[in-house]
């Protein structure tokens, strides 16, 4: 069993349902060099340190914006896509954050509409779950800081 695989599925289903979209788990290996991909990630720091990342086909990111803003495809801007993917990232990341060692903080989502490679130095991937939505694919992955020296150590309080 991968780290939080069931929770990833649950929170992704919840996030997509807020936009009236249904997803189903599937198998998918993306071509990360494709410019047809949208990548997003959000950092969690504190009692646990790592990153939650999403990789999706551009058409799906566009569909998120269409549903979020009740727009037509021709009216959707890159800013709309960025906002909708950021909101999905906040929902999934925020829910996963609540299950990790406390205290911790959720950073701001970082979205790249041009398919930048997801590379998180000093981390190891703990899990990845792929999904299908309307024939378009995406995946959610959790990466944890692997180097113990980089893990935040509790501060000592002098009394």
């Amino acid at each position: 069993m991968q780290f939080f695989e069931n929770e990833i599925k649950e929170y992704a289903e919840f996030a997509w349902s807020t936009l009236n979209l249904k997803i189903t788990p599937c198998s998918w290996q993306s071509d990360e060099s494709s410019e047809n991909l949208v990548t997003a990630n959000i950092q969690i720091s504190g009692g646990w340190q790592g990153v939650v990342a999403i990789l999706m086909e551009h058409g799906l990111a566009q569909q998120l914006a269409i549903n979020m803003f009740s727009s037509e495809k021709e009216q959707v801007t890159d800013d709309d896509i960025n906002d909708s993917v950021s909101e999905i990232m906040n929902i999934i990341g925020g829910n996963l954050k609540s299950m990790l060692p406390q205290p911790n903080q959720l950073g701001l989502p970082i979205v790249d509409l041009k398919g930048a490679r997801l590379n998180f130095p000093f981390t190891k991937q703990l899990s990845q779950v792929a999904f299908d939505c309307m024939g378009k694919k995406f995946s959610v992955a959790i990466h944890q800081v692997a180097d113990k020296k980089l893990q935040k150590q509790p501060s000592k309080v002098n009394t």
Side-chain angles (χ1 to χ4, degrees):
M1 170 73 75
Q2 294 186 57
F3 184 75
F4 284 148
E5 181 177 339
N6 290 331
E7 290 78 4
I8 291 171
K9 290 176 184 176
E10 177 183 345
Y11 299 140
E13 287 172 1
F14 170 74
W16 260 255
S17 73
T18 65
L19 299 174
N20 297 316
L21 293 170
K22 182 168 176 48
I23 64 172
T24 55
C26 69
S27 60
W28 178 53
Q29 284 290 41
S30 68
D31 174 12
E32 287 191 37
S33 64
S34 173
E35 289 188 16
N36 188 38
L37 295 176
V38 171
T39 59
N41 66 80
I42 196 162
Q43 184 177 358
I44 300 172
S45 58
W48 184 90
Q49 300 218 88
V51 176
V52 179
I54 293 181
L55 179 71
M56 70 178 72
E57 295 179 11
H58 188 274
L60 179 56
Q62 186 177 48
Q63 188 64 52
L64 292 175
I66 289 168
N67 285 34
M68 181 174 282
F69 299 109
S70 301
S71 298
E72 297 296 321
K73 183 176 181 178
E74 308 78 40
Q75 298 171 319
V76 171
T77 66
D78 284 350
D79 286 342
D80 295 335
I81 294 170
N82 187 33
D83 289 348
S84 61
V85 173
S86 291
E87 186 56 32
I88 290 293
M89 193 79 259
N90 274 322
I91 293 170
I92 295 171
N95 280 294
L96 289 170
K97 172 189 109 42
S98 70
M99 303 190 68
L100 295 166
Q102 301 292 322
N104 61 43
Q105 299 175 11
L106 191 65
L108 295 173
I110 298 170
V111 178
D112 188 302
L113 302 180
K114 302 294 183 199
R117 262 188 91 113
L118 293 175
N119 186 16
F120 306 110
F122 309 109
T123 68
K124 62 181 176 181
Q125 183 173 300
L126 300 179
S127 61
Q128 182 172 8
V129 182
F131 299 91
D132 180 274
C133 179
M134 301 171 39
K136 296 173 177 70
K137 309 291 191 236
F138 74 98
S139 66
V140 178
I142 298 176
H143 301 258
Q144 182 178 23
V145 171
D147 188 333
K148 297 289 185 200
K149 295 177 202 165
L150 298 174
Q151 284 283 1
K152 182 176 179 180
Q153 300 299 316
S155 59
K156 295 181 181 179
V157 178
N158 294 328
T159 55

